[in-house]
Amino acid sequence: TFPGLPKWRKTHLTYRIVNYTLDLPREAVDSAFEKALKAWEEVTPLTFSKIYEGEADIMIFFAVREHGDFIPFDGPGNILGHAYAPGPGINGDAHFDDDEQWTKDTSGTNLFLVAAHEFGHSLGLYHSADPTALMYPVYNPRTDLTRFRLAQDDVNGVQSLYGPPPMSSPDGPAGPTESVPPEPGTPATCDPALSFDAVSSLRGEILFFKDRHFWRKSLRTPEPGFYLISSFWPSLPSGLDAAYEETSKDIVFTFKGNQFWAIRGTEVQAGYPKGIHTLGFPPSVTKIDAALFDKEKEKTYFFVEDKYWRFDEKTQSVEPDFPKKIADDFPGVDSKVDAAFEAFGFYYFFSGSSQLEFDPNAKKVTHVLKTNSWLNC
Amino acid sequence: YPVDRAAEDKDSNMDLLQQYLENYYDLAKDVKQFVRRRDSGPVVKKIREMQKFLGLEVTGKLDPDTLAMIRKPRCGVPDVGQFT
């Protein structure tokens, strides 16, 4: 953040594109700025609207050389733009050097990337020393802009000023007058009492969800990564109940309360959240405790209190004769299940700080482990 | 007379470094005269500060990696110091 911690004292901000570069069609410029603001909007309570006349909080100019603020641009290369910390007048404004060749892709200077960086300043972020962060001062053209996301450092920075976005809830998003619930503390990886909210595979990695965070364990790298859920999927709620990956569809389904979301990679799929009752659960089921997908059988198991349902992914329906008692079909799994997933032909059940490895063919528990055994503890 | 290209390049690199440190690392104007003295304390300190911030090897010298970094396009907001 800037010295003195300047920040906006309101959550709804206006922006105005005062002039346009001739390098790109106007709609491409509009789209780049809109997308750049959206990147910040997704991880904060801030919202932005465009105005066409008068003074906006963020006034956006393209300019060359000296352009009225005594900090001249320098021709092609080197300085690409600059922006001012939040405040009245010139503060909050973003200027782009029109001696650059602005492009939609990375063949020239990508306008979206530079705009997203400059708007970070407009919101109160200073430069970051983290080379992976958007707020690192040196331009870094990402090869795959479709998969762009803010780095954890960017999210931490902007959320230190404005907090996280309002949580989604069955009653709809929190309104501007509602208070944001207190943030749960950051869980310690090797806390012997650590429990998980949900566990799922994702494209060969394993995700362990806890409150606002998740650990990402790749079998190729020894150390798990630790991230905010909102930094990957800004519209997902924290404190998930259950999650599973339907590998043949490349979709991870996440559950909270009576709703569920479908995510593919970093994209939350359109049309979600949906109600869990659309899957065929009776009205008495108000939340799912855990879910796992068996790749071999192409069936998903949903665990709710001491019962479970089996869901046929091919017919998209709950199978008849369910629910059944968990303890009857998974001998040894006696307590309520917090989270579950399948790996290497075994089912892993998490309950508090304990984890059971279950062989579905032998129908018995083969190992009792600590919940955080996957995190090198 | 033939131009001494090596000396010219060196001067131009030093100018670039001086400008970079002034713009982004709050190098004081009165330190300017010392930039070309490689052992100048304030300049070495600023180079080290820059190298550390940008994630380069901290040598305190204008080495090739540092030179390459300061030639890259970047944001015009200073990395350190008071923002005006």
Side-chain angles (χ1 to χ4, degrees):
Chain A
T1 50
F2 284 95
L5 228 64
K7 61 182 256 190
W8 298 102
R9 301 285 163 190
K10 53 189 178 181
T11 55
H12 184 72
L13 302 173
T14 56
Y15 71 99
R16 181 178 154 200
I17 305 170
V18 179
N19 63 358
Y20 284 77
T21 176
L22 297 177
D23 298 343
L24 286 167
R26 284 172 78 102
E27 54 272 25
V29 173
D30 288 342
S31 166
F33 289 143
E34 198 178 310
K35 205 172 135 202
L37 289 167
K38 187 89 184 157
W40 296 109
E41 196 174 77
E42 284 176 342
V43 296
T44 61
L46 298 174
T47 54
F48 301 93
S49 63
K50 188 177 175 184
I51 63 169
Y52 297 88
E53 56 186 19
E55 180 77 14
D57 297 312
I58 301 171
M59 298 285 273
I60 301 167
F61 297 86
F62 287 91
V64 296
R65 304 289 176 178
E66 174 51 49
H67 52 280
D69 62 0
F70 304 104
I71 305 179
F73 285 140
D74 57 353
N78 296 318
I79 298 174
L80 307 176
H82 57 217
Y84 294 82
I90 196 172
N91 287 101
D93 294 357
H95 301 168
F96 298 87
D97 186 349
D98 212 2
D99 276 329
E100 310 308 331
Q101 182 63 43
W102 296 106
T103 55
K104 285 199 281 187
D105 54 22
T106 50
S107 58
T109 306
N110 181 267
L111 181 59
F112 159 70
L113 284 175
V114 178
H117 175 102
E118 297 307 336
F119 293 153
H121 292 311
S122 301
L123 299 182
L125 293 187
Y126 209 15
H127 278 154
S128 167
D130 177 351
T132 66
L134 177 68
M135 295 313 294
Y136 188 68
V138 179
Y139 176 69
N140 171 21
R142 276 79 164 167
T143 48
D144 186 359
L145 287 166
T146 57
R147 294 169 71 85
F148 170 83
R149 62 169 185 262
L150 294 174
Q152 190 71 36
D153 189 60
D154 302 311
V155 176
N156 292 348
V158 77
Q159 290 189 344
S160 75
L161 292 173
Y162 302 103
M167 296 219 312
S168 304
S169 76
D171 303 326
T177 56
E178 291 177 54
S179 62
V180 176
E183 295 170 23
T186 303
T189 306
C190 288
D191 178 351
L194 181 69
S195 61
F196 294 133
D197 295 335
V199 180
S200 174
S201 55
L202 170 58
R203 296 178 176 172
E205 299 184 8
I206 310 168
L207 311 182
F208 300 88
F209 294 95
K210 177 70 177 176
D211 301 331
R212 296 187 306 132
H213 296 88
F214 69 96
W215 287 268
R216 178 181 173 188
K217 169 77 177 174
S218 165
L219 299 176
R220 293 182 296 276
T221 52
E223 284 303 313
F226 185 60
Y227 307 92
L228 278 168
I229 295 172
S230 59
S231 67
F232 277 63
W233 307 285
S235 61
L236 275 195
S238 55
L240 294 174
D241 291 330
Y244 74 93
E245 181 184 32
E246 219 288 39
T247 42
S248 58
K249 292 182 188 149
D250 185 26
I251 294 269
V252 172
F253 293 99
T254 61
F255 295 76
K256 179 165 182 172
N258 60 5
Q259 292 185 304
F260 71 105
W261 290 255
I263 56 181
R264 174 173 283 141
T266 54
E267 299 292 326
V268 176
Q269 300 298 286
Y272 290 87
K274 289 181 180 174
I276 56 172
H277 301 111
T278 60
L279 297 171
F281 293 107
S284 57
V285 175
T286 53
K287 71 187 274 287
I288 307 291
D289 292 334
L292 75 79
F293 175 64
D294 186 314
K295 288 190 281 286
E296 292 291 311
K297 299 189 180 85
E298 292 188 63
K299 311 266 188 194
T300 302
Y301 295 80
F302 290 102
F303 302 88
V304 178
E305 295 175 352
D306 61 342
K307 299 186 183 69
Y308 78 101
W309 276 260
R310 200 166 64 195
F311 184 84
D312 189 326
E313 292 287 348
K314 279 188 279 194
T315 61
Q316 285 292 292
S317 59
V318 171
E319 294 189 339
D321 304 327
F322 283 90
K324 293 181 178 177
K325 284 267 189 191
I326 298 172
D328 289 349
D329 293 345
F330 299 93
V333 184
D334 300 324
S335 45
K336 182 176 162 291
V337 180
D338 294 334
F341 80 112
E342 185 268 344
F344 318 113
F346 292 96
Y347 296 171
Y348 292 89
F349 293 100
F350 298 84
S351 181
S353 58
S354 296
Q355 179 189 177
L356 302 174
E357 183 187 73
F358 186 87
D359 182 339
N361 298 318
K363 283 197 170 288
K364 66 174 187 181
V365 171
T366 47
H367 282 101
V368 180
L369 305 152
K370 287 296 288 179
T371 276
N372 50 13
S373 68
W374 293 90
L375 305 177
N376 305 341
C377 295
Chain B
Y1 296 95
V3 174
D4 182 348
R5 182 54 60 88
E8 207 174 51
D9 285 352
K10 198 171 153 192
D11 275 357
S12 134
N13 291 343
M14 285 301 180
D15 286 343
L16 190 63
L17 173 68
Q18 178 179 307
Q19 203 179 4
Y20 201 88
L21 295 178
E22 274 176 30
N23 287 347
Y24 307 120
Y25 289 88
D26 202 24
L27 181 72
K29 302 284 179 196
D30 56 358
V31 178
K32 264 185 180 182
Q33 57 189 307
F34 298 113
V35 168
R36 283 171 177 74
R37 279 184 50 190
R38 290 179 177 207
D39 57 348
S40 157
V43 173
V44 170
K45 196 176 153 205
K46 283 290 171 193
I47 294 174
R48 293 174 72 89
E49 189 179 359
M50 172 184 71
Q51 289 169 329
K52 189 176 173 202
F53 187 85
L54 295 176
L56 298 163
E57 191 189 351
V58 180
T59 60
K61 293 174 187 165
L62 184 58
D63 52 48
D65 285 348
T66 306
L67 189 57
M69 183 62 97
I70 68 178
R71 284 190 167 139
K72 286 185 178 174
R74 57 162 290 151
C75 172
V77 173
D79 298 339
V80 296
Q82 285 291 324
F83 179 67
T84 46

